[in-house]
Amino acid sequence: TIGSGKAVVFQDGNKIEGTWRRPNLDSRTRFYNKSGAEVRFNPGTTWIEVIPTGFTEAEHTIKQVNNESNNQ
């Protein structure tokens, strides 16, 4: 995806609100906090989840948990 939008990063027990940006297909997606500083991720595996517009993180998590419960 090319563009930018709202981002919420959870890292080391902290919630960082900000934005993401990817200006073209040749660049990587970068995340920025509300002050505009780039968020530096810890080394290792990083999970990124896209949440549909209109959902809060809590609503998405509840829906995901309910779906997993129904599939067992």
Side-chain angles (χ1 to χ4, degrees), residues 14-49:
N14 298 307
K15 179 180 178 180
I16 304 166
E17 295 188 47
T19 59
W20 64 269
R21 290 183 222 136
R22 185 174 186 205
N24 57 59
L25 290 175
D26 295 326
S27 62
R28 67 181 178 90
T29 303
R30 295 181 184 264
F31 295 82
Y32 301 89
N33 65 23
K34 285 185 173 184
S35 299
E38 185 172 352
V39 175
R40 299 290 179 179
F41 291 97
N42 295 330
T45 303
T46 300
W47 294 90
I48 297 176
E49 186 164 354

Side-chain angles (χ1 to χ4, degrees), residues 64-72:
Q64 192 174 33
V65 168
N66 286 340
N67 286 340
E68 290 172 3
S69 296
N70 290 335
N71 289 332
Q72 292 181 359

